[in-house]
Amino acid sequence: SQQGEEDPQALSIQEGENATMNCSYKTSINNLQWYRQNSGRGLVHLILIRSNEREKHSGRLRVTLDTSKKSSSLLITASRAADTASYFCATDAGTSGSRLTFGEGTQLTVNP
Amino acid sequence: GAGVSQSPSNKVTEKGKDVELRCDPISGHTALYWYRQSLGQGLEFLIYFQGNSAPDKSGLPSDRFSAERTGGSVSTLTIQRTQQEDSAVYLCASSPRLARETQYFGPGTRLLVL
């Protein structure tokens, strides 16, 4: 079963605007990760935030984690058309190696 | 260096036939994962290999699915007597021993069962 649920399912914005995607999960986690997928193929790792961290930045990406609410958000600032992709959150509960449990993703469209 | 590679990129098969999907992980990566992604869905964990330990097969959906990893490197996922609901993209990922948390994904194999 899916642990993470992303919100919204789809998001359409104009270039230059910020995009915010949210993720909720059900069980305790070691860390939460965000991945990007273009055209339904391979995933690219974006950022990892550990359970004892509250916020992390990487370039134009900002991730927050609220373990009390079991939720995370991914903010992409100053979006570009090239950011158009599906974005998935994935949780690592620390069991069985680092198997990830993925949400169903948010489809982001950035219009030029 | 080279990333995770998978073959074939696309596979069309008839219901009832067996298929083999191959994954070449990044050299030196000790952990290897298989996931399945159905149309418009998130990824579903299938199986995990770590070094010489027994694999975690808890995600395999039925006994028609099996996987092996030879010599701690290349892995093959086999689906016997394929069904239409097996149609999906099958993704492989690997991670290094000292940084196990980040997984590096291959481009996937798109399987269509007619």
Side-chain angles (χ1 to χ4, degrees), chain A residues 29-74:
Chain A
I29 60 172
N30 266 7
N31 64 67
L32 184 145
Q33 305 178 35
W34 285 89
Y35 285 81
R36 165 196 168 121
Q37 184 179 42
N38 287 82
S39 304
R41 299 309 287 256
L43 277 75
V44 174
H45 180 263
L46 296 177
I47 196 165
L48 179 153
I49 186 165
R50 300 183 193 286
S51 60
N52 61 352
E53 298 175 310
R54 292 296 167 258
E55 187 170 314
K56 205 159 183 182
H57 296 254
S58 176
R60 293 184 297 113
L61 305 181
R62 173 178 168 255
V63 169
T64 62
L65 178 64
D66 186 335
T67 52
S68 67
K69 295 181 180 178
K70 291 188 169 59
S71 67
S72 173
S73 67
L74 171 67

Side-chain angles (χ1 to χ4, degrees), chain B residues 14-80:
Chain B
E14 293 179 348
K15 178 181 172 181
K17 295 282 180 70
D18 298 351
V19 295
E20 283 190 355
L21 312 179
R22 177 187 169 107
C23 171
D24 283 86
I26 294 172
S27 178
H29 280 195
T30 57
L32 187 148
Y33 303 80
W34 283 98
Y35 295 88
R36 175 171 74 173
Q37 185 177 30
S38 301
L39 185 64
Q41 300 293 309
L43 278 70
E44 171 191 15
F45 167 80
L46 296 178
I47 188 168
Y48 159 65
F49 296 90
Q50 172 60 53
N52 296 320
S53 303
D56 175 359
K57 305 179 183 179
S58 60
L60 296 178
S62 78
D63 58 9
R64 296 186 296 105
F65 287 71
S66 62
E68 62 177 22
R69 188 179 185 193
T70 53
S73 180
V74 171
S75 177
T76 303
L77 177 69
T78 301
I79 309 173
Q80 296 178 308

